[in-house]
Amino acid sequence: MRLMPLMLAATMLAAPAMAADLTGTLQKIKETGTITLGVRDSSIPFSYLDDQQKPVGYAIDICYKIVDAVKQELKLPDLKVQTVSVLSSNRIPLMANGTIDLECGSTTNNVDRQKQVAFTNTHYLTASMFVAKKASHLTTIESLAGKTVVSTAGSTNIVQLNQANATRKLGITVLAAKDHAEAFLMVETDRAAAFVMDDIILASFIASAKDPSAYALGDEAFSLAEPYGIMLRKDDVPFKALADKATSDLYLSPEGKAIYAKWFQAPIPPKGLNLNTPMSKGMVHAYAHPSDNPDPESYVE
Amino acid sequence: MHRHQGRAVGYNWNWGIFWEQSPEGNGTYLDMLVQGLGTTLLTAALAWIIALVVGSAVGVLRTLPGRTAPLLASAWIELFRNMPLLVQLFLWYFVFPDLLPTPWAIWLKQLPNASFVTAVIGIGFFMSARVAVQISSGIEALPLGQRAAATALGLTSAQTYRYVLLPMAFRIILPPLTSELLNTIKNTSVALTIGLAELTARARAVQEFSFQVFEAFTAATLAYLAINLIATLAARWLESRVRVPGYGKA
C-alpha cells in the first residue's frame, strides 16, 4: 500500500515528463512558474507569522522540502513561492479553486476529510488533552465532573469531550469557543475550568501565556494520538506521489529529526519560547514508517 | 481560476452530506443545522423584544421636553450605536463580569447558558439604540399640532404618548423597523464569537467535520433567506392590517 506512491514517484523521476504530459497541480505550477502555499497565522509551532510577518514553522519547513522536489522535477530552479494566509473556514474553497497548492499547518487527517482532499505523510501526532489552572487541581478526566469545560467548535476534540461526558456520566457543561485563542481566554478568565484540545496546541498556549507556571496539562488523554498532514488536492496522483516522496525522504533522513528538534526542542521565534516536547513513541514510528494513514490505531506499535 | 483545475477536479460535491450521521453522534448533519436555526430564531426573538421595549422607552425619552431626559437618551444611543457589535459582545462576555464584585462575577461566569444570555442582551441593547432613533424620528415626523391638540384636550404627557403620538409614530416607522428586525436576525451570527451554537456556527462546524464547506454554507444561506423573507412578509401583512385609512399614503 505504502509502496505505491514511492513506485510511482520512482517511475516519474526515471523519465521526467514533458510539460504537455503534466496534469493537475504540476502542470499548473509549470505553466505559471509559481507554487502557492496556504499558511496559518497562529498555529505555533507548525505555521505562524514571526515578528517580520513572515510565515515560519515546522510545517513550512516541510513544505519547502516539497517545493525543492517540485523545482527538481520540473527543472524550474527559479520557481516562485507565494504564501496565502488561510483560516480553517476557507482552506477548502481556496484549495478547490486552485488558489493554494499545499496547506502547511496543523490539519488533522481523518477518513471523512479524505473524501474531499488528500494528505501527504503524517508530520505530527497529537492526542486530546486538557489544560487547567494549577490552582484548580484538576488532573484526571473524572476530576472535571460537574465543571464547565471549553473546546473549539467543530473540532474532533469537542466530539471526544462530549463522548467522554456522556459515557462516563460526568455532568460537564461543554462550551464551544470560536477558536483556540478564545477557548484559552475562557480558562484564563475562569469562564471555563479546563480547555480540551490537541496536546501540542495546549503546550504552545501555556508557553506563551502571561504566567506559564499557572497552568498545567492533565494526566489523561481523551483519545489516541491523531495524525496531522499537509493537505493537497484529491485525485492528483503525480503531485501527491512527489509530495509523499519528498516528505518520506525527509523523515527518514537525519535532517527530519533536526527540523523536529528545531521547532519542538529549542527556542523558537518570535519570543524564544521552548516547547520542550521530545518525539513521542508514535512520532518516532511515524518518522520511521512514513504514511498518510488517517487511522490513529496504525501509529500505535 | 486555472483552466485545468475544473470544478470536478478541485471540489467534490456531496449534497447527500446532510443525511449522513455527524461525528457528534446525536443525529445527522441536517440536525446540527436545524438545532442552530432554532438557536438563531430564539436569540433573535428575545433580542428583538429587548430592542423594541428598551428602544421605545429611549426613543420616547429623546423627544420629551426638558434637557435631562433627551441627554440621557442620546448618551444611550451613541454608546450602543457607535461601537461595533462584535466589540460589545466581547466586552459583555469577557470584561463586564470582572467589573462586578467577585461572588457576582463567579455566579455570572458559571451560568449554564452564559453565551446565550449575553448574546440576547448584547444584541438587544445594540439594536435598541437603532430602534430608539427610529421611534424618535417617527414622533418628530408627526405634525406639532398633534401634541398641542392632546395638551389642549387635557391629556397628561403619558396619555399623549400612549393615545396620540405613539400609535401614529409606530405606523410611520413600520417599514424601517422591519429592516431593523432583519438586522437583528442577521446580527445573531456575530454571537458565534462568544461560543453561541447558532446557525452560522453550526454551518462552520459541519464544514470542519466533513470539509463540505459549500454545501454547509449554501444551506445556511437559504435558511437565513427563508426566515428573513417570512419576517418581511409578516411585516407587510402587519402594515396593511394597521394602516389608518387616508393617512400616510399621500
Side-chain angles (χ1 to χ4, degrees):
Chain A
M1 197 51 198
R2 212 161 44 229
L3 276 176
M4 268 302 282
L6 291 178
M7 280 162 58
L8 277 166
T11 336
M12 280 179 23
L13 289 174
M18 306 304 287
D21 300 338
L22 293 169
T23 56
T25 307
L26 286 176
Q27 183 186 36
K28 178 187 163 224
I29 294 171
K30 178 90 185 175
E31 284 178 2
T32 57
T34 309
I35 183 168
T36 309
L37 309 180
V39 300
R40 305 296 295 263
D41 284 350
S42 57
S43 194
I44 299 169
F46 296 94
S47 180
Y48 62 100
L49 300 176
D50 68 5
D51 43 4
Q52 317 287 312
Q53 299 299 302
K54 193 167 107 20
V56 293
Y58 172 65
I60 305 278
D61 281 359
I62 297 171
C63 276
Y64 272 94
K65 289 288 158 192
I66 302 176
V67 170
D68 287 344
V70 172
K71 280 183 188 170
Q72 262 198 347
E73 169 72 13
L74 299 179
K75 304 203 167 40
L76 279 176
D78 299 327
L79 179 65
K80 263 190 294 180
V81 182
Q82 278 183 347
T83 57
V84 170
S85 186
V86 301
L87 305 168
S88 58
S89 50
N90 67 11
R91 59 192 166 185
I92 297 300
L94 291 178
M95 176 138 280
N97 74 10
T99 305
I100 60 172
D101 301 313
L102 288 168
E103 195 239 8
C104 316
S106 52
T107 301
T108 302
N109 172 1
N110 67 33
V111 180
D112 277 357
R113 289 172 170 187
Q114 286 207 2
K115 291 177 192 158
Q116 186 61 257
V117 293
F119 294 88
T120 184
N121 294 313
T122 297
H123 62 276
Y124 201 78
L125 286 163
T126 176
S128 273
M129 299 278 277
F130 68 84
V131 64
K133 286 193 173 163
K134 269 185 193 158
S136 56
H137 301 291
L138 301 170
T139 50
T140 62
I141 294 177
E142 296 291 334
S143 68
L144 299 177
K147 300 272 193 292
T148 301
V149 179
V150 66
S151 187
T152 307
S155 63
T156 44
N157 314 82
I158 201 167
V159 173
Q160 289 156 355
L161 170 59
N162 280 322
Q163 280 165 354
N165 193 19
T167 54
R168 302 194 194 185
K169 300 195 171 56
L170 298 173
I172 293 172
T173 306
V174 176
L175 292 182
K178 181 191 57 138
D179 54 31
H180 305 330
E182 194 193 285
F184 193 76
L185 182 62
M186 287 196 190
V187 175
E188 221 174 352
T189 57
D190 297 313
R191 276 273 178 196
F195 168 27
V196 177
M197 194 21 70
D198 297 345
D199 50 12
I200 186 62
I201 294 176
L202 295 179
S204 75
F205 271 105
I206 295 175
S208 48
K210 262 172 267 161
D211 176 13
S213 64
Y215 301 91
L217 284 182
D219 301 331
E220 203 183 343
F222 283 82
S223 68
L224 287 176
E226 296 185 332
Y228 282 174
I230 287 164
M231 199 168 82
L232 39 109
R233 269 179 289 278
K234 195 173 139 73
D235 300 328
D236 189 343
V237 177
F239 187 54
K240 168 144 169 58
L242 188 136
D244 283 346
K245 167 107 174 50
T247 48
S248 73
D249 284 355
L250 175 67
Y251 300 153
L252 293 169
S253 74
E255 198 189 352
K257 288 174 190 75
I259 290 184
Y260 182 94
K262 173 183 164 193
W263 294 102
F264 293 95
Q265 294 174 283
I268 54 171
K271 284 188 271 177
L273 298 173
N274 187 335
L275 295 176
N276 282 318
T277 310
M279 272 201 191
S280 63
K281 263 206 226 154
M283 269 305 290
V284 173
H285 184 263
Y287 260 46
H289 308 277
S291 149
D292 64 357
N293 196 328
D295 181 10
E297 298 275 358
S298 74
Y299 297 91
V300 183
E301 279 173 284
Chain B
M1 193 167 124
H2 200 269
R3 192 162 48 90
H4 303 282
Q5 302 291 323
R7 219 174 49 170
V9 176
Y11 189 81
N12 187 14
W13 289 88
N14 176 17
W15 290 102
I17 187 72
F18 300 116
W19 285 268
E20 287 175 22
Q21 288 297 311
S22 83
E24 292 186 343
N26 49 3
T28 60
Y29 282 112
L30 183 65
D31 293 330
M32 282 175 71
L33 292 178
V34 171
Q35 284 161 14
L37 179 61
T39 307
T40 289
L41 290 174
L42 191 62
T43 311
L46 295 180
W48 183 238
I49 291 170
I50 292 181
L52 270 186
V53 172
V54 177
S56 301
V58 175
V60 166
L61 281 184
R62 202 179 183 216
T63 60
L64 285 181
R67 293 175 63 120
T68 325
L71 198 70
L72 283 176
S74 297
W76 177 274
I77 290 167
E78 299 310 332
L79 178 68
F80 286 104
R81 188 170 65 167
N82 292 347
M83 236 191 301
L85 177 58
L86 182 69
V87 175
Q88 292 191 28
L89 289 185
F90 256 75
L91 291 178
W92 283 120
Y93 194 69
F94 286 113
V95 180
F96 173 71
D98 285 321
L99 302 178
L100 300 174
T102 315
W104 294 14
I106 290 172
W107 174 81
L108 199 65
K109 286 173 180 178
Q110 286 170 355
L111 276 181
N113 289 318
S115 55
F116 174 71
V117 175
T118 310
V120 167
I121 294 175
I123 297 170
F125 281 2
F126 176 76
M127 293 310 298
S128 79
R130 304 180 55 97
V131 170
V133 175
Q134 312 270 11
I135 300 273
S136 61
S137 320
I139 293 170
E140 276 156 17
L142 294 171
L144 269 178
Q146 295 219 354
R147 194 192 284 264
T151 312
L153 282 171
L155 298 184
T156 63
S157 249
Q159 287 170 328
T160 306
Y161 276 93
R162 166 70 185 81
Y163 296 108
V164 179
L165 301 179
L166 282 178
M168 288 320 295
F170 269 116
R171 284 177 169 80
I172 293 172
I173 64 164
L174 249 181
L177 217 48
T178 308
S179 301
E180 298 306 340
L181 168 62
L182 303 190
N183 281 337
T184 307
I185 296 169
K186 288 180 287 184
N187 279 338
T188 55
S189 63
V190 178
L192 78 89
T193 57
I194 54 166
L196 185 68
E198 47 69 61
L199 184 55
T200 306
R202 297 309 274 165
R204 280 168 60 131
V206 168
Q207 88 90 15
E208 283 290 317
F209 289 140
S210 68
F211 273 18
Q212 302 298 135
V213 52
F214 293 124
E215 292 86 342
F217 281 99
T218 304
T221 307
L222 291 176
Y224 279 116
L225 201 62
I227 18 181
N228 283 340
L229 274 177
I230 293 169
T232 309
L233 290 176
R236 288 262 170 77
W237 173 82
L238 186 66
E239 259 173 63
S240 65
R241 267 279 326 244
V242 299
R243 204 163 70 84
V244 174
Y247 189 87
K249 299 247 169 167

